[in-house]
Amino acid sequence: MSEQVEQWIAILSLVVPVAAFLWEFAVVGRKRLGYRVQMDTLAADAAGKPYADVLGDMEHDGHRLKDPSFVLLRIENAGSARILSEDYLADPADPYGIKVTFRDRRVAAVVLTDPSEQEVPDFFFEEVEEDDNTVRTVAKPGFRRSNSEADRTGIVRLPKVTLSRGAEYKVLIVLERWPDDNGTGEFPEPIVSGVGGQGHWYDTVLRFFRLKATRTESHVFASRPAWWLIWILIAGVGVQACFTLLLPDERRPPMDCVGGTLHLHGSTAFESAARAAAEDYLKRCEGAGVSVLDGPFKGSGKGVTALERAGEDAGIGVGEGLGDHIAFTDGLAPDGHPRLIPRPVALSVFTLVVNRKAGVENLSLTQVREIFAGRVKNWSQVGGSDEPVHLINREPRSGTRNTLVSKLLDGRQPPQFTVTDCASLKPDRYGNCEVDETSLVLDEVASRPGAIGYSEATKAGGHRDAGRLVKLRIDGREPTAEGVEEAGYPYWQTEFAYTYGEVPAGSVAASFLNYLTQQSGRDVLREHGHALCSETENSGECRPT
């Protein structure tokens, strides 16, 4: 249920800002005539101040103004397009475009001031030739003042001025209280509105869709509908953040859970990380019909063989892919598997492990090569205890062993085993043997005082007898992801996920790989000591040599 809610919130988070943008800039904001009352003050408030002089003694038509007041009104094109005369919400035959109503006040004088364009006064005034051939300037029909005794209002009408984007003008208006009004309170705010209109039933609809609607309001940032849309967006983002931050991580599902059974094979070094990732994936995909058969993890070589056999048994043709099997390998698989496709997943760090009684913690690369060449048979030869060396190797197809050979031993294989069963090694005599799994390497090294082997670093640290094991430094460099990137620790390899053919989109294998490399599976890999190929500073470190 929460996933569906998150999806709807994500959809709304996209739709709302788009709708707000279109509303604000394509509908309301395209043709918007804004106004602002920049001053509305009584002359009496200023008459008692220094240098006020005649402010309290103004007269009109032979009488002194009663409670005179001043209003400075700014009209501006607050939209994104040029405003023409036909854009005003008035009857085309009406010369007026804007009506300003002052309740409880009479209009005594009106003055146009501060036009931003020199053409603006032409909409207000015209020159008239008198009988005596003199020319005087008079107001045009669209610029008028009037007073209504019936409802005690003063009215100023402004013409349909053509205004370029951002253009403005101001009107200074002098008013007084009605002579028979003995009130002393403040005056109501002026009302600014469009004039007239044809009165058709569809006018209201046209105001929103003909793109000529001009709302004569003061807009500091956005219109009221746009503000509602913005608040809805903010609420949506807040709810989305709550789901993201407050919902327990284990309840967050991957983006694309796909039903089916997934088979995982391959590297024993990568086994613990792969199993942990599979368990986390199942928890997140609970209810999606997913199951994972994690294993057997018998080594990189055997994993590749099992994957190839599964593809052949399923009859997957060339150009198709198997969607329910993945094999993990330490490095690239050997040649001879043309149907298999690798994908780099992570950087695995390996370590040499010795029994604590061997008495060593750090070896040079030269000493490591001497030991694995069989020329060092006692730990005292490299400064350790007087204990014979017991060399515990993986079988030749092991990815961990192949990485050891390529990264540390300069391509030279360890010596042939002296006994086929590690249990046959003599405690007081040099010897070496081979085992099938990393866990068996760690078991043997922990139980034999002079034993040395190799393992994935995190797996060695998590072994049940880790207290008997020492993870060797090589030339002082630690077996960690940081040691690889920052100090050049040499024993590491790229972990690859192999599929049989191109994994089909929408398959359980594709879903798991996406989870492992792009989603929460990345955190699981980090917890198991793997550096992500997508995050390594040096991309070359995530490629096999």
Side-chain angles (χ1 to χ4, degrees), residues 377-400:
K377 299 183 182 294
N378 191 289
W379 287 107
S380 61
Q381 294 177 252
V382 290
S385 304
D386 184 15
E387 290 283 349
V389 173
H390 290 157
L391 197 57
I392 313 298
N393 279 302
R394 290 287 308 279
E395 80 288 348
R397 297 180 63 191
S398 161
T400 307

Side-chain angles (χ1 to χ4, degrees), residues 43-256:
D45 294 337
K49 302 294 173 55
Y51 308 112
D53 296 335
V54 300
L55 286 180
D57 301 319
M58 290 184 296
E59 294 185 358
H60 175 63
D61 290 340
H63 75 275
R64 184 175 178 179
L65 296 183
K66 184 178 182 179
D67 289 343
S69 58
F70 307 97
V71 171
L72 182 62
L73 180 68
R74 186 179 75 179
I75 305 296
E76 62 178 342
N77 181 351
S80 58
R82 185 180 178 87
I83 293 178
L84 306 175
S85 61
E86 58 265 27
D87 292 325
Y88 287 81
L89 298 180
D91 192 305
D94 194 333
Y96 311 121
I98 298 175
K99 177 183 176 182
V100 187
T101 303
F102 300 92
R103 292 171 293 173
D104 300 335
R105 283 189 280 186
R106 296 176 72 253
V107 178
V110 183
V111 179
L112 172 68
T113 181
D114 294 337
S116 63
E117 297 179 325
Q118 61 181 2
E119 296 83 5
V120 170
D122 295 338
F123 293 90
F124 287 81
F125 308 107
E126 62 182 346
E127 292 182 345
V128 178
E129 186 175 352
E130 300 289 347
D131 293 338
D132 58 357
N133 294 325
T134 59
V135 177
R136 67 187 182 94
T137 301
V138 298
K140 283 187 173 181
F143 182 32
R144 288 289 182 268
R145 68 180 184 185
S146 62
N147 296 295
S148 173
E149 294 189 13
D151 54 6
R152 291 290 194 270
T153 59
I155 298 173
V156 174
R157 290 177 171 84
L158 304 176
K160 298 175 181 177
V161 179
T162 297
L163 292 172
S164 302
R165 179 180 177 183
E168 66 177 32
Y169 64 88
K170 298 177 183 178
V171 178
L172 178 63
I173 307 166
V174 182
L175 305 110
E176 67 171 331
R177 190 183 298 275
W178 285 89
D180 57 352
D181 182 359
N182 296 320
T184 58
E186 294 183 355
F187 294 112
E189 293 183 359
I191 301 172
V192 182
S193 62
V195 176
Q198 298 181 40
H200 297 304
W201 63 270
Y202 51 79
D203 279 352
T204 303
V205 177
L206 289 179
R207 291 184 183 188
F208 292 104
F209 294 101
R210 67 181 179 178
L211 301 183
K212 296 179 180 179
T214 59
R215 298 195 62 185
T216 51
E217 295 180 1
S218 175
H219 294 288
V220 177
F221 170 67
S223 63
R224 182 173 296 177
W227 270 112
W228 276 109
L229 291 172
I230 291 170
W231 281 113
I232 291 173
L233 173 61
I234 293 173
V237 172
V239 173
Q240 181 75 42
C242 290
F243 274 100
T244 302
L245 299 176
L246 303 180
L247 190 67
D249 183 71
E250 63 271 10
R251 292 181 56 193
R252 298 180 198 157
M255 292 184 292
D256 53 355

Side-chain angles (χ1 to χ4, degrees), residues 264 267-281 292 294 297 328 330 345-348 456 458-459 495 512 515-516 520-532:
L264 303 179
S267 167
T268 58
F270 200 66
E271 177 183 5
S272 59
R275 288 184 185 274
E279 292 175 1
D280 184 68
Y281 180 75
V292 177
D294 50 351
F297 285 90
F328 296 100
D330 306 329
V345 175
L347 184 155
S348 280
E456 194 272 328
T458 303
K459 196 164 188 176
E495 290 294 335
F512 183 74
Y515 155 81
L516 197 62
S520 303
R522 296 154 59 92
D523 296 331
V524 178
L525 297 184
R526 292 190 193 95
E527 290 172 2
H528 284 74
H530 296 281
L532 302 178

Side-chain angles (χ1 to χ4, degrees), residues 346-350 456-458 471 477-493 525-533 535-538 541:
L347 184 155
S348 280
V349 182
F350 297 92
E456 194 272 328
T458 303
K471 293 190 288 184
R477 292 170 285 188
E478 293 188 37
T480 62
E482 293 77 12
V484 172
E485 291 195 65
E486 299 173 7
Y489 176 79
Y491 192 14
W492 61 271
Q493 187 56 281
L525 297 184
R526 292 190 193 95
E527 290 172 2
H528 284 74
H530 296 281
L532 302 178
C533 283
E535 295 180 353
T536 54
E537 294 183 6
N538 181 1
E541 290 174 346

